[in-house]
Amino acid sequence: VPGSAGSLFDVHNLPYGVFSHAGGGRRVGVAIGPSVLDLTGACATEHSPHADLFTAGTLNPLLAAGPETWRAQRAEVTGWFTDPGAADRLARHLVPRADVELHLPFTVADYVDFYASEQHATNLGRLLRPGQQPLPAAWRHLPIGYHGRAGTVVVSGSEVPRPRGQRWAGEPGGSVVLAPTARLDIEAEVGFVVGTPSQRGRSVPLAGFADHVFGTVLVNDWSARDIQAFEYVPLGPFLGKSFATSVSPWVVPLAALEHARVRPPARDPRPLPYLDDAEAQPWGLDLRLEVRVNGSLLSRPPFAGLYWTPAQMLAHLTVNGASLRTGDLFASGTVSGPGREEVGSLAELSWGGSRPVPMPDGGKLSFLRDGDEVVVSGTFPGPGGALLGLGEVRGTVTPATR
Amino acid sequence: VPGSAGSLFDVHNLPYGVFSHAGGGRRVGVAIGPSVLDLTGACATEHSPHADLFTAGTLNPLLAAGPETWRAQRAEVTGWFTDPGAADRLARHLVPRADVELHLPFTVADYVDFYASEQHATNLGRLLRPGQQPLPAAWRHLPIGYHGRAGTVVVSGSEVPRPRGQRWAGEPGGSVVLAPTARLDIEAEVGFVVGTPSQRGRSVPLAGFADHVFGTVLVNDWSARDIQAFEYVPLGPFLGKSFATSVSPWVVPLAALEHARVRPPARDPRPLPYLDDAEAQPWGLDLRLEVRVNGSLLSRPPFAGLYWTPAQMLAHLTVNGASLRTGDLFASGTVSGPGREEVGSLAELSWGGSRPVPMPDGGKLSFLRDGDEVVVSGTFPGPGGALLGLGEVRGTVTPATR
């Protein structure tokens, strides 16, 4: 496909998404260079055995089909793109990416968010609970997480109205007000999309990760820090997070990430056996994020340094017998590295608003202002030194509504 | 219908559920006395304008149809049961309730659990955080809540395998173990089922409650207290709750609860305007729960005393612009009254295991043992002094599995 070789979406990547074009219905596609291959159309005209997976306008049937089918379908598409005869036949199913509308790629079942970056958890602990131990007592024993609102997971490009909520009017313990958040923040994260379901009462071991997880998306878990600080004891974040979570439209299959696998950091204490990946080939991933506000690059959060891998997150999520459904989404929590310009939230970047970030427009950024546009993008190493892309998740803050 | 007059499921109740019979597929039914009226069949043969709502084997199409349709369909069924001619024609659509299998009545979208009983929150605060203020600082300002796992909401009768999880091996701060929970508990609650969706960015006012909420179920939010205590700081309960939440099979429409509406307790401080129901007709509800373990009545939790009403829960849940979907389920949190025999959890009944409850079999109950069967049932006042039923939610603990 013209323009694909050497691009972030070259033939070694092949992420799946859902698009519409020229007023038509939703179709499944694969991104390739500057184009989308219409899989709904191509599988029909090529008499693919997988054609039935692509007629629903969502990735859910493909996700549910399981790892054998994921491999076979990826091999089929790779075959088309590397066979000159097929490429000619398929040209009519290529659409410029610039011309399509992208939709939420799958129906989200349950959404879980973890807290897997030691730097982020330490920074937030210092900001929210000054004078106390920043890391909670259980933090090095298990990947701490919680359930978020699946119904407000939206695709990149969706507007984010500023949420209202209760917070202290002045000093904590005094009177309270209902007001639009004054501390609207981002959380740059990576999400993992479950395909294969599991049975209630059965846990998924570390080694089962790639049997259940289809692929990965970028996540911006918008957060209202003042609402969150007011409400979160003892049941955790609720309205401070539930108004919107944005995800990138292209789901990159795990199969594309083979060259990005790296050793995670050493853990102390050694995790319990169900979380111990010292003997296994672990699922550390060299995913490189970038955070931009109004076009200015503010930060480059490195996923490779995360204390807990996504395989550990999944093993923990299910160790109590909780079942998985097709479309479950679990995210890493904010990705922050040790450097100031490696953090994944504005709370960390501006240190709770006390060190505003100078912007090229002359303004200073502590938390998000109405009209601010946030883009989180990501890349990862492919074969032979190539750089491949996770795409981007984009969103603009709009004024508070009723 | 024979046996319905004066029963808990008489013509003033008419709860909806999903059943199968004699190996057939899932059908929608209405409980009436000792029978189920097969609505899928009856609406077809009666040429009901609502017949299309009952062909999917789930309540979701009815839930999505909105309050006008809910009223019209209830009036249609009421008409059939009070018209002798219709009763004859419909007799062939009646099935004994004892002969049917009941299923999860709707597909759960998001599941939220609140913490609305002052007595329960105070008791749990004392047990989990001894020496500190038992009620969190925000507790009297808003109904505290969090998202639970929608994918493990199961219908009454489903087995509950004992979950495994991490906890301190001895003193907090020392080593940890992965083990089956030693503190398996119940939470007797009432859940509210959302029918009409709402738009992201728009809040639902107190007065919108009955436009969005279709009806109510009983909930048992199974809880592993040792797992919960280990993991819950700072993001709230996760594996301590996510293994199973059981709901009753019959959804009682709000329309059946008109005679159960009562004034909620006085609040101090007065809630902010979006939660202030002093001027409105509030949604306190005189629902009377009963908790039985292996047939022994242990407790009678009174819903009427809850500090926050379900209308306030819904107004709070959406005040930040979080949208509602058909099938959202939000529950009250454990219903506990001031008396020792009015509490909705074993942690409270046995005071953290320190005051085990003598059982008729000679044993003592602190937390649940393998094989224990828990039943939460409920009643409420109907017209003319009648007592109507919420049905029951039942579950048996089975040994831990892998």
Side-chain angles (χ1 to χ4, degrees):
Chain A
V1 176
S4 70
S7 79
L8 294 177
F9 283 169
D10 91 355
V11 72
H12 301 294
N13 194 344
L14 301 181
Y16 292 80
V18 172
F19 73 99
S20 57
H21 178 238
R26 294 188 184 199
R27 305 174 81 83
V28 174
V30 161
I32 179 80
S35 305
V36 178
L37 175 70
D38 173 359
L39 267 189
T40 303
C43 283
T45 61
E46 294 291 306
H47 305 290
S48 161
H50 306 117
D52 287 352
L53 300 177
F54 302 118
T55 58
T58 167
L59 297 186
N60 286 61
L62 174 66
L63 298 179
E68 300 272 327
T69 302
W70 304 339
R71 274 189 287 274
Q73 213 289 313
R74 181 172 166 85
E76 179 179 45
V77 174
T78 305
W80 290 339
F81 286 136
T82 50
D83 166 5
D88 284 352
R89 293 197 312 277
L90 289 164
R92 64 185 172 113
H93 296 298
L94 288 170
V95 188
R97 279 207 282 136
D99 293 352
V100 304
E101 184 181 357
L102 293 163
H103 304 281
L104 192 64
F106 58 98
T107 303
V108 181
D110 270 300
Y111 167 49
V112 165
D113 202 13
F114 285 94
Y115 197 51
S117 157
E118 181 172 356
Q119 287 77 18
H120 172 71
T122 303
N123 288 336
L124 264 276
R126 288 200 178 120
L127 286 165
L128 287 173
R129 296 173 291 277
Q132 297 180 37
Q133 272 296 90
L135 279 188
W139 199 91
R140 292 177 189 281
H141 295 290
L142 50 76
I144 288 178
Y146 73 104
H147 285 88
R149 190 162 185 81
T152 49
V153 175
V154 296
V155 73
S156 174
S158 304
E159 289 184 347
V160 177
R162 180 178 297 275
R164 298 183 304 152
Q166 288 198 40
R167 57 175 203 249
W168 299 116
E171 285 304 296
S175 63
V176 298
V177 291
L178 176 73
T181 176
R183 296 189 155 225
L184 184 58
D185 200 353
I186 60 164
E187 298 201 327
E189 311 194 4
V190 177
F192 297 87
V193 182
V194 171
T196 313
S198 72
Q199 271 194 303
R200 198 166 57 90
R202 301 278 162 179
S203 52
V204 175
L206 286 176
F209 177 67
D211 295 330
H212 288 274
V213 170
F214 172 77
T216 185
V217 289
L218 292 167
V219 175
N220 182 351
D221 188 38
W222 307 87
S223 300
R225 300 295 176 196
D226 40 9
I227 299 172
Q228 182 184 353
F230 184 72
E231 73 181 356
Y232 86 105
V233 175
L235 301 186
F238 185 36
L239 298 197
K241 303 273 198 174
S242 64
F243 54 97
T245 304
S246 300
V247 298
S248 57
W250 294 109
V251 184
V252 173
L254 285 194
L257 301 178
E258 274 304 318
H259 295 269
R261 290 178 70 171
V262 292
R263 282 233 148 246
R267 283 69 162 239
D268 182 20
R270 186 167 179 169
L272 289 178
Y274 81 101
L275 292 175
D276 189 353
D277 58 4
E279 308 293 317
Q281 195 191 347
W283 275 97
L285 288 168
D286 181 13
L287 312 179
R288 305 158 191 178
L289 275 51
E290 297 189 339
V291 177
R292 287 179 174 76
V293 174
N294 302 332
S296 290
L297 178 62
L298 298 186
S299 169
R300 298 175 186 268
F303 189 86
L306 254 60
Y307 195 90
W308 300 108
T309 71
Q312 291 172 315
M313 296 175 206
L314 189 71
H316 183 62
L317 172 59
T318 60
V319 75
N320 69 344
S323 45
L324 301 174
R325 291 184 294 172
T326 297
D328 281 348
L329 171 67
F330 63 95
S332 58
T334 310
V335 179
S336 291
R340 170 144 182 217
E341 283 164 16
E342 294 182 320
V343 296
S345 72
L346 299 181
E348 292 165 273
L349 200 65
S350 71
W351 205 249
S354 67
R355 300 191 309 216
V357 180
M359 297 289 283
D361 65 4
K364 294 195 164 208
L365 182 69
S366 293
F367 293 97
L368 294 171
R369 305 152 299 185
D370 289 350
D372 280 344
E373 184 195 56
V374 179
V375 178
V376 179
S377 57
T379 56
F380 59 96
L387 198 66
L388 301 176
L390 295 168
E392 64 175 35
V393 54
R394 178 184 296 266
T396 300
V397 178
T398 60
T401 56
R402 285 273 147 180
Chain B
V1 175
S4 71
S7 79
L8 294 177
F9 284 168
D10 90 355
V11 72
H12 301 294
N13 193 344
L14 301 180
Y16 293 80
V18 173
F19 72 99
S20 57
H21 178 237
R26 294 188 184 199
R27 304 172 82 81
V28 174
V30 161
I32 180 80
S35 305
V36 178
L37 174 70
D38 173 359
L39 267 189
T40 304
C43 284
T45 60
E46 294 291 306
H47 305 291
S48 161
H50 306 118
D52 287 351
L53 300 177
F54 301 118
T55 58
T58 167
L59 297 186
N60 286 62
L62 173 66
L63 298 179
E68 301 271 327
T69 302
W70 304 340
R71 273 190 287 273
Q73 214 291 311
R74 181 172 166 85
E76 179 179 43
V77 174
T78 305
W80 290 340
F81 286 136
T82 49
D83 166 7
D88 284 353
R89 293 197 313 277
L90 289 165
R92 64 185 171 115
H93 296 297
L94 288 171
V95 189
R97 278 206 283 136
D99 294 352
V100 304
E101 184 182 357
L102 292 164
H103 303 281
L104 191 64
F106 59 97
T107 303
V108 181
D110 271 299
Y111 166 48
V112 165
D113 202 13
F114 285 94
Y115 196 50
S117 156
E118 180 172 358
Q119 287 79 16
H120 172 71
T122 303
N123 289 337
L124 264 277
R126 289 198 178 121
L127 286 165
L128 287 173
R129 294 174 292 278
Q132 296 178 38
Q133 273 297 88
L135 280 189
W139 200 91
R140 292 178 189 281
H141 295 289
L142 51 76
I144 287 178
Y146 71 104
H147 285 88
R149 191 162 185 81
T152 50
V153 175
V154 296
V155 72
S156 175
S158 304
E159 289 185 348
V160 178
R162 180 178 297 276
R164 297 183 305 152
Q166 287 198 42
R167 58 176 203 249
W168 299 116
E171 286 303 297
S175 63
V176 298
V177 291
L178 176 72
T181 176
R183 296 190 155 224
L184 184 58
D185 200 353
I186 60 165
E187 298 201 326
E189 311 194 4
V190 177
F192 296 87
V193 182
V194 171
T196 313
S198 72
Q199 270 194 303
R200 199 167 56 89
R202 301 278 161 179
S203 53
V204 174
L206 285 176
F209 177 66
D211 295 330
H212 288 274
V213 170
F214 172 78
T216 184
V217 290
L218 292 166
V219 176
N220 183 350
D221 188 37
W222 307 88
S223 300
R225 300 294 177 198
D226 40 9
I227 299 172
Q228 183 184 353
F230 183 72
E231 74 181 357
Y232 86 105
V233 175
L235 301 186
F238 184 36
L239 299 195
K241 303 274 198 173
S242 65
F243 54 97
T245 304
S246 301
V247 298
S248 58
W250 295 109
V251 184
V252 173
L254 285 194
L257 300 177
E258 273 304 317
H259 295 267
R261 290 178 70 171
V262 292
R263 282 232 150 247
R267 283 71 163 235
D268 182 22
R270 187 166 179 169
L272 289 178
Y274 80 101
L275 292 175
D276 189 353
D277 58 4
E279 307 294 316
Q281 194 191 349
W283 274 97
L285 288 168
D286 180 13
L287 312 179
R288 306 158 190 178
L289 275 52
E290 297 189 339
V291 178
R292 285 178 174 76
V293 175
N294 303 332
S296 289
L297 178 61
L298 298 185
S299 169
R300 298 176 186 267
F303 188 87
L306 254 59
Y307 194 90
W308 300 106
T309 71
Q312 290 172 315
M313 295 175 206
L314 189 70
H316 183 62
L317 171 59
T318 60
V319 74
N320 69 344
S323 45
L324 301 173
R325 291 184 294 171
T326 298
D328 281 348
L329 171 67
F330 63 95
S332 58
T334 309
V335 178
S336 291
R340 169 143 182 218
E341 284 164 14
E342 294 182 318
V343 295
S345 73
L346 298 180
E348 292 165 273
L349 200 65
S350 72
W351 204 250
S354 67
R355 301 192 308 216
V357 180
M359 297 290 283
D361 65 5
K364 294 195 163 209
L365 182 69
S366 293
F367 292 97
L368 293 171
R369 304 152 301 185
D370 290 350
D372 280 345
E373 185 196 56
V374 180
V375 177
V376 179
S377 57
T379 55
F380 59 95
L387 197 66
L388 300 176
L390 295 169
E392 64 175 34
V393 54
R394 179 185 296 266
T396 300
V397 179
T398 60
T401 56
R402 287 272 146 180

